[in-house]
Amino acid sequence: KEEKYINSYGIKIQTGIAEYKNTGAKLLLDWYSKDEFDNNYTPAISDIEGTYPENEDGIMLSKAALDALGINNPQEDMEILLWQNNKTLTFRLSGWFTDYCYTKGGFQAFVSEAYIKRLGMSQEKNGILCISCKAGRQQELLQNLKDNITLNNGQEWRVMFDIQEENDDTSIATIICVLLISFIITASGYLLIYNVMYISITKDIRFYGMLKTIGTSPSQIKRIVNMQAGTLSLFGIPIGILLGTITSFVTVPFAITMAGPGNDGAMSSDISFNPFIYIGTILFALLTVYVSCRKPARYAGKVSPVEALKYNGSTTEKYKARKGTDGGKVYKMAYRNVFRVKKRTCLVFASLFMGTMAFLSVNTFLGSLGVDNYLEFYYPNDYTIYVHDAEDAMLSEKDLLDNSKMLAEQIQGIDNIKNVHLNLSADTVFEFDEELFTPFIENVSGSEEQKQELIDLYKNATDDKDKYQSQVVSASTEMIERYNEKARQKIDIEKFEKGEICILCFAWDKKTSDFYLGKNITIIDKNSKKKKTFEIGSCPMRGEDYGINVGYYYTKTAAPEMVIISDAAIYELSGIPEINTITADCDKDTESYITSKIKEYTKTNSSVMDTEIKSEIASEFKTSLSAMNIIGGGISLILILIGIINFINVMLTGVYTRLNEISVMESVGMTKKQVKKMLIFEGMYYGIITIALVLTAGNAIIYLIANFSTKITEYAVFYYPYGLMFAIAAVIMAICTIVPVIVYHSISKGSITERLKTD
C-alpha cells in the first residue's frame, strides 16, 4: 500500500561496538541485508573494493576505519584483531569502501550473516527495518505507517530525514534560487548568441543591398541569411558541445582527483551522462539563432540599395534638429549616440547587465553554500572532546568524575589555549506532568492500553529508576548565541543565564514545538534531591539544534531526548555535575603544539568517548573544498568570459556599424583625438549605467539569491560578493572605455578618403 512512497527497504542488525587495542578506535559492527546494503547504503558510498563478508570471520571496513586502525595498505584476507567485552575477536578483511559521514560512536564495519547467527541473533528478534523514502514524501509515509501498523512492545519508529528537506519554505527557496540563476544564465547566453548573429548580418547589410541591384529577390536574400546562420550553427554548436563534454567528463574529474589524491573527501569524481542536457542545449542554441536571424534577415530582404549604402546602424529613426551653442560638445554627442536608437540601447544594456549578473549570481549562491560555512557551522570550536557517561564507559561514577576532571584540568593548563568551556550534565529525573509529557508518550508506537500503562507508571513511580528521565546538559552562552542566529524560536539569553528558562529537545513537528513553548518542566537531581522548575523558552524540531555542540545520549523512554540549561542552573541543581563536553580554541601558530597535547591527554583517558579536532576534519574535507573551489571557479570563469565577450561584442558593434559616420565626421573637421574622446565617453556611459543597474536591480537579485540560499540548508550564510562587485565594476569600465578606442585605432590608419570609399 505504501510502495508509492518507498524507494527501498531492508534489515540491519547492530551487534555492538568493538575496539582496536593499538589505537583505541571504536568500530560499529553491523549486519545489513542484501537489499539494505545494495539499495539503501551503497548509493551513499564509493570506491568499493572487495565484497560484503560471507564467511563468519569476514569483515568489511570503511577507509576511515582503516585509517583509524593505522592500516594504510589494506589487503583482502588480512587479519584484523579487535577487542569486545574482554574478548579478542579475529576477523579477515573482505572489502573496504569510502564513506562520507562521521559518527561519534565509532567507524562503520560490516559483519556476515554467519557471524550474527553464531551470536544467536536473527532478523525477527534483533532486526531493524530500514526504509528509504522518495523525496518530499517522508512525513506522509511516516504518518501512514503509524496509522496502519501496530508495533509490539519495545518497538518504535525512528526518523532519520532532515526537517529542512521536508520544509515547504526550503523547497520554495531552492526552486526560486535555481530558477532565478538559470534564467539569468540562459538570458545571458541568449543575448550573446543574439548579438553575434545580429553583428554578422548587419555588418554585411550593404552587400545585401548590392545583391538587390543585380536582381536578387527578398526571399533569396532571406535564404542566404538563413543559410549563413545555419553554416555558423553547423560549426559552432558541435564545437561548443565538444568543449562542454571535455570540460564535464575530463577536466572536472581530473581537477577533483588532482585536488586531493588519496584523500577521502566528500565528493566523488564519477560523472553521470544525461542525453537530455545535450538535446536541450542544441535546441536552445538553434532556437536562439533562428530568433536572432529573423529581424535582420527581414530587414536585409526589404532594404533598398540606396538605404543599404547609407546604413550606419541608426538610420531607421528620425531625429529632431537640436538648437544651441553647446550641441557640439563631445560628451553630449557621446550621450546622444548611446541613446539614439532606443531598441538597440535596451539590447546593449540587457546584454551587459545579464552577463554581469550571471557571474555575480552564481558566486553569491556558491559563497552562501560553501564547504567552509559547513565546517564553521558544525565544528564551531577548534577542539571538542565528548565524555562518556559512567555506564557507557564501564566506569564507576567516581572514576568517571575523577578522570574527566583530570582531563579538564590538563586541557585548561595547556599554554596558549583559549576559550576552554565545560558543558556539564546531571543525573536527573522529571516530575511527571501529564499535560506536558503525554504528547511524547502518544508518539511512542503501541496500543492505547500500553500508552496508558506508561502514563500510570510515571504518575505513580516512587523509584528513580522508573521515574520520567532524560539527559540534562548545560550549554555556554556562546552556543546559545549561535543557536539564536538560526532558531525559529529564539531564546532570551539573559533569562537562560539566570536559570529561569531552558531548551527542550526535540519536537517532531511545528505544532508540537509551539505547544511546548512557555510550558514549565520540573527537574529533580538524583544525587542532591534538589528540585528546580524551568520555563520552556524554546523547543526546536529535530535537526534544528543549531550551534549547540554538546554530547548526549538518546533516552530509552518516551521522555524528551535532552533538556539544555545554563551552567549556573546546573550547579544550582546538582551538587556534583559530570563533564559532558569540553570545547576549546587556539591560534593558528600554536595549533600544532596544542593538538599534540590534546591527543596525548585524550588517548590515555578512559572517560573520553570521542575527540573532534577541527583542523583534522577540515583536512579530511580537502578534496571536497578544493573540488568545490575548482568547479565554482570554473563556472565563474566561463560566466565572466561570456560577460566579457558580450561587452566586447557590444562595443565592437557600436564602432563597426558607425564606421562611415565617423569617417564623415572626420572629413568635416573632427580630429582623431576628439573621436577617441567621444568613444571613451560613450564607453563610460555604457559602463556607468551598467554598474548603476547592477547596484540597483542587480543588488535586489543578489539579495534574493543570498537570502533564499540561507533557507536551503542550515549551515548556509548570507553572502554578499563585495570584492567581486568592485572588481567587476573595474573590469566593466576598462572594457567599455578601452575596446572602442582600440577598434577605432585599428580602422583609422588609412586616409579619410580611402575609408569613405571602403565604408
Side-chain angles (χ1 to χ4, degrees):
K1 183 180 178 181
E2 310 299 343
E3 285 185 1
K4 61 182 179 179
Y5 304 121
I6 295 172
N7 279 328
S8 184
Y9 54 88
I11 305 292
K12 72 176 181 180
I13 296 176
Q14 298 170 334
T15 71
I17 298 175
E19 188 173 319
Y20 188 61
K21 273 191 171 182
N22 295 349
T23 63
K26 293 178 173 57
L27 302 181
L28 306 176
L29 303 182
D30 295 336
W31 171 81
Y32 280 16
S33 68
K34 181 174 175 56
D35 286 336
E36 174 64 10
F37 184 79
D38 290 346
N39 301 328
N40 287 342
Y41 192 77
T42 299
I45 62 176
S46 65
D47 306 325
I48 300 174
E49 300 282 347
T51 60
Y52 191 91
E54 295 181 358
N55 298 329
E56 187 179 305
D57 62 349
I59 191 168
M60 188 178 198
L61 301 175
S62 68
K63 287 186 179 179
L66 291 171
D67 290 341
L69 269 56
I71 299 173
N72 299 318
N73 185 29
Q75 301 290 330
E76 286 190 49
D77 206 41
M78 72 183 299
E79 190 176 77
I80 305 289
L81 295 177
L82 302 177
W83 182 258
Q84 186 183 55
N85 299 329
N86 298 321
K87 293 180 181 179
T88 300
L89 303 179
T90 303
F91 290 99
R92 297 283 176 181
L93 187 64
S94 69
W96 55 94
F97 55 90
T98 299
D99 62 356
Y100 304 104
C101 64
Y102 178 74
T103 307
K104 292 176 183 176
F107 299 98
Q108 187 63 64
F110 292 112
V111 294
S112 66
E113 186 173 9
Y115 178 81
I116 64 166
K117 286 181 177 178
R118 182 173 66 79
L119 296 180
M121 305 178 86
S122 67
Q123 297 184 37
E124 293 75 16
K125 292 189 298 181
N126 311 101
I128 299 172
L129 174 64
C130 302
I131 303 172
S132 60
C133 183
K134 293 178 180 176
R137 311 304 293 270
Q138 290 96 328
Q139 290 278 19
E140 192 174 354
L141 173 61
L142 178 63
Q143 191 57 52
N144 287 347
L145 290 172
K146 286 184 175 182
D147 291 343
N148 295 298
I149 298 176
T150 301
L151 299 182
N152 298 323
N153 285 334
Q155 293 181 324
E156 61 177 319
W157 296 108
R158 283 198 176 182
V159 296
M160 300 294 289
F161 58 85
D162 190 345
I163 289 290
Q164 291 277 352
E165 294 178 2
E166 285 293 281
N167 193 312
D168 290 339
D169 293 339
T170 299
S171 301
I172 293 170
T174 304
I175 292 169
I176 290 174
C177 267
V178 171
L179 289 179
L180 188 56
I181 293 173
S182 299
F183 170 76
I184 292 170
I185 293 174
T186 304
S188 179
Y190 170 83
L191 289 169
L192 176 63
I193 298 173
Y194 184 93
N195 286 336
V196 170
M197 296 306 304
Y198 190 85
I199 291 170
S200 67
I201 294 170
T202 55
K203 75 181 180 66
D204 292 331
I205 201 74
R206 295 186 181 192
F207 168 72
Y208 299 129
M210 286 186 282
L211 286 177
K212 292 194 76 174
T213 63
I214 59 174
T216 308
S217 68
S219 60
Q220 287 175 317
I221 289 177
K222 287 181 184 178
R223 200 176 306 125
I224 291 171
V225 171
N226 290 330
M227 288 177 66
Q228 180 187 0
T231 303
L232 291 172
S233 301
L234 185 64
F235 288 97
I237 293 175
I239 291 172
I241 293 292
L242 178 62
L243 291 175
T245 302
I246 292 171
T247 301
S248 300
F249 289 91
V250 179
T251 307
V252 172
F254 177 76
I256 294 174
T257 303
M258 292 302 293
N263 220 330
D264 294 337
M267 185 176 289
S268 172
S269 60
D270 296 334
I271 304 295
S272 60
F273 171 79
N274 190 333
F276 293 106
I277 295 175
Y278 285 85
I279 295 169
T281 302
I282 293 169
L283 290 177
F284 169 75
L286 289 173
L287 179 64
T288 304
V289 169
Y290 171 74
V291 172
S292 303
C293 291
R294 286 188 65 191
K295 185 177 179 181
R298 193 163 54 245
Y299 181 75
K302 69 179 183 180
V303 67
S304 69
V306 176
E307 287 176 330
L309 290 172
K310 294 190 297 181
Y311 181 77
N312 63 3
S314 60
T315 55
T316 58
E317 293 189 12
K318 296 180 180 180
Y319 302 95
K320 293 181 180 179
R322 298 181 181 273
K323 296 180 180 180
T325 58
D326 62 348
K329 289 186 177 180
V330 173
Y331 70 90
K332 289 197 172 185
M333 291 175 63
Y335 182 82
R336 285 196 294 271
N337 286 338
V338 169
F339 292 99
R340 66 199 295 184
V341 184
K342 301 296 188 296
K343 290 182 180 179
R344 181 177 175 276
T345 300
C346 291
L347 179 64
V348 168
F349 285 124
S351 299
L352 301 180
F353 177 74
M354 287 299 182
T356 305
M357 290 310 303
F359 174 67
L360 291 174
S361 298
V362 170
N363 274 277
T364 299
F365 184 73
L366 294 176
S368 298
L369 300 175
V371 182
D372 286 324
N373 301 336
Y374 175 89
L375 289 170
E376 191 60 34
F377 182 82
Y378 287 109
Y379 306 98
N381 298 104
D382 293 329
Y383 304 97
T384 305
I385 301 158
Y386 298 95
V387 178
H388 285 290
D389 64 2
E391 182 180 349
D392 185 51
M394 294 179 288
L395 296 170
S396 67
E397 195 80 25
K398 183 178 182 304
D399 287 341
L400 179 70
L401 288 170
D402 289 344
N403 288 348
S404 58
K405 184 178 178 181
M406 178 182 68
L407 177 64
E409 290 172 351
Q410 288 174 326
I411 291 174
Q412 288 168 332
I414 298 174
D415 293 337
N416 299 313
I417 199 163
K418 301 190 307 182
N419 306 327
V420 179
H421 187 271
L422 309 181
N423 294 104
L424 307 171
S425 62
D427 195 6
T428 60
V429 293
F430 298 155
E431 193 173 83
F432 186 74
D433 181 325
E434 188 168 353
E435 181 191 11
L436 186 69
F437 293 127
T438 295
F440 279 104
I441 295 170
E442 289 294 332
N443 196 49
V444 175
S445 300
S447 65
E448 291 303 317
E449 290 88 356
Q450 290 169 335
K451 292 175 182 177
Q452 189 58 48
E453 286 176 8
L454 199 53
I455 291 174
D456 293 339
L457 170 66
Y458 291 134
K459 270 185 181 180
N460 304 317
T462 55
D463 192 316
D464 285 349
K465 292 180 181 178
D466 293 329
K467 283 184 179 177
Y468 213 95
Q469 53 191 299
S470 180
Q471 191 80 1
V472 174
V473 182
S474 74
S476 66
T477 301
E478 290 76 14
M479 287 183 181
I480 301 304
E481 288 172 347
R482 286 199 300 269
Y483 173 78
N484 275 348
E485 290 175 5
K486 292 277 188 177
R488 184 174 53 86
Q489 298 174 342
K490 302 187 187 306
I491 194 164
D492 187 317
I493 294 178
E494 185 178 348
K495 286 185 176 181
F496 180 83
E497 289 177 336
K498 289 179 180 178
E500 297 175 4
I501 60 177
C502 69
I503 300 176
L504 185 72
C505 303
F506 295 99
W508 48 91
D509 56 37
K510 186 175 179 293
K511 182 179 178 182
T512 309
S513 173
D514 293 338
F515 166 80
Y516 281 113
L517 196 63
K519 299 286 193 300
N520 291 328
I521 184 170
T522 301
I523 303 174
I524 306 166
D525 186 81
K526 284 185 180 181
N527 297 315
S528 68
K529 303 302 179 182
K530 288 183 180 178
K531 180 189 297 188
K532 186 171 177 59
T533 300
F534 297 86
E535 178 187 339
I536 299 172
S538 182
C539 182
M541 295 182 286
R542 180 179 293 283
E544 292 185 327
D545 51 331
Y546 310 120
I548 301 178
N549 191 22
V550 296
Y552 61 94
Y553 315 95
Y554 290 109
T555 176
K556 295 177 182 178
T557 69
E561 292 175 7
M562 176 172 57
V563 177
I564 299 172
I565 61 178
S566 66
D567 293 335
I570 207 164
Y571 275 115
E572 182 183 345
L573 182 67
S574 174
I576 316 173
E578 301 172 359
I579 295 174
N580 175 273
T581 312
I582 304 172
T583 60
D585 297 311
C586 69
D587 292 324
K588 197 71 177 174
D589 55 350
T590 61
E591 183 181 340
S592 178
Y593 166 74
I594 292 175
T595 298
S596 65
K597 296 300 289 183
I598 285 180
K599 284 184 175 180
E600 177 187 334
Y601 296 146
T602 56
K603 185 176 181 180
T604 57
N605 194 305
S606 56
S607 68
V608 175
M609 180 174 70
D610 190 34
T611 303
E612 288 177 354
I613 300 174
K614 187 175 182 178
S615 61
E616 294 186 352
I617 294 171
S619 178
E620 293 173 6
F621 274 80
K622 181 181 177 183
T623 301
S624 183
L625 283 165
S626 300
M628 285 294 290
N629 290 334
I630 291 170
I631 293 172
I635 293 171
S636 299
L637 179 63
I638 291 170
L639 292 175
I640 195 60
L641 283 175
I642 290 174
I644 289 173
I645 291 170
N646 241 341
F647 273 59
I648 294 173
N649 227 344
V650 167
M651 295 299 105
L652 285 173
T653 309
V655 177
Y656 272 115
T657 56
R658 292 162 50 216
L659 289 181
N660 183 262
E661 177 187 309
I662 293 171
S663 298
V664 170
M665 285 192 294
E666 287 187 62
S667 70
V668 296
M670 195 172 189
T671 66
K672 286 187 176 183
K673 185 177 180 181
Q674 288 174 319
V675 173
K676 289 180 181 179
K677 190 175 180 181
M678 181 185 71
L679 294 174
I680 288 172
F681 271 115
E682 288 180 20
M684 287 176 62
Y685 289 135
Y686 280 123
I688 291 169
I689 294 171
T690 300
I691 293 170
L693 288 171
V694 171
L695 292 176
T696 51
N699 257 339
I701 293 171
I702 290 171
Y703 175 82
L704 283 174
I705 292 172
N707 190 48
F708 282 121
S709 295
T710 62
K711 303 180 188 302
I712 291 175
T713 183
E714 58 188 10
Y715 67 83
V717 299
F718 186 92
Y719 173 79
Y720 185 89
Y722 291 100
L724 285 174
M725 191 69 81
F726 285 112
I728 202 73
V731 171
I732 289 171
M733 292 304 298
I735 292 173
C736 288
T737 55
I738 294 173
V739 170
V741 176
I742 293 173
V743 175
Y744 171 70
H745 182 73
S746 67
I747 57 123
S748 63
K749 294 177 181 178
S751 67
I752 296 174
T753 305
E754 290 173 343
R755 279 189 280 137
L756 284 171
K757 288 180 179 179
T758 305
D759 295 339

